[in-house]
Amino acid sequence: MGRGYNLLFILVTFLVLVAAVAAQGNRGSSRGGGRRPHVGFYGNRCRNVESIVRSVVQSHVRSNPANAPGILRMHFHDCFVNGCDGSVLIAGNTTERTAGPNRSLRGFEVIEEAKTRLEAACPRTVSCADILTLAARDSVVLTGGQSWAVPLGRLDGRISQASDVALPGPNDPVSKQKQDFAAKTLNTLDLVTLVGGHTIGTAGCGLVRGRFFNFNGTGQPDPTIDPSFVSLIQARCPQNGGTRVELDSGSVDRFDTSFLRNVRSGRVVLQSDQVLWRDPETRAIIERLLGLRRPFLRFGLEFGNSMVKMSLIGVKTGSDGEIRKVCSAIN
């Protein structure tokens, strides 16, 4: 009798311990728990997370189409500085938002509105980093691009410093671009494909004017530019005027391969984009994405694959991050 009671006590104790460990694991996974992000992360805890974000993004893109490339660019800028942790969203005098390359970012109000709606539906559950990642995907889809499944489960970073912002530049040679992307575990196919995101959006005239009027101090335009395109951009970005110019001339609001065709034709405004055609490796990838070289690549599919890879750079999980109450401020 006594021996049987002892065995029963041991068994019950063991089951209680197993249940406690499982419960702790579930609590950890709800906040990241050290697990990698994955599709369907929120499950029943926030079943409508994707539809809520999509609804907000759709409303803002319809009212102002510039929000689509703005959100996509913001996601890139977030991921390339200390990982995809929503740190670019934090407001403050010395945060990432104040760094030169980020001062022209747009779409912060879109992410904040989505966060407000999600806090009402699923309090303290969905991170701002995940909202921005979903919003970037939805921005592509809303402009005609192909959708992809988004892994979720990132936490928000607690650090945002302007001094940490070091992004690829508009005049970078291909070698520098490859180096920067490789440092983020992205390969040359990812580089070309993600740069293809320039099929939507605009660039400030200040970034491109020199290339069209005084390339490398020569007093002449970059000779690799299509001559008819030179006069077009000079008219839109004169030396003493102009504001912004399309990154993808003729298809600025449509997510397609038009930008890559313009790279091939010497009709893009950024030097860092045009040099991709002069490098044998990146040129071959462009040709494959355009169906000009075998084996062919599907731009929509490859873009989604590369976006997933980028969205997993330096993600915060477990004790490394938090879920902010509002996206612009650390808890």
Side-chain angles (χ1 to χ4, degrees), residues 10 109 194 220 241 278 283:
I10 292 172
E109 72 284 358
L194 291 173
Q220 299 294 324
R278 299 206 297 270
R283 177 173 180 158

Side-chain angles (χ1 to χ4, degrees), residues 264-306:
R264 178 173 178 252
S265 302
R267 296 179 64 84
V268 290
V269 296
L270 297 182
Q271 183 179 347
S272 58
D273 292 343
Q274 189 59 62
V275 294
L276 297 178
W277 187 248
R278 299 206 297 270
D279 177 84
E281 184 182 15
T282 53
R283 177 173 180 158
I285 293 172
I286 293 172
E287 291 174 330
R288 292 175 66 192
L289 290 167
L290 290 175
L292 302 174
R293 176 193 289 255
R294 295 182 183 274
F296 300 148
L297 293 169
R298 292 171 54 195
F299 175 62
L301 177 63
E302 295 301 333
F303 190 83
N305 291 340
S306 294

Side-chain angles (χ1 to χ4, degrees), residues 230-269:
V230 171
S231 58
L232 175 66
I233 301 303
Q234 286 180 340
R236 294 184 180 178
C237 288
Q239 297 200 58
N240 296 313
T243 54
R244 303 191 69 80
V245 64
E246 300 171 351
L247 287 167
D248 184 10
S249 180
S251 183
V252 66
D253 293 324
R254 186 74 182 170
F255 203 94
D256 53 23
T257 57
S258 170
F259 168 79
L260 296 175
R261 292 195 296 272
N262 281 334
V263 170
R264 178 173 178 252
S265 302
R267 296 179 64 84
V268 290
V269 296

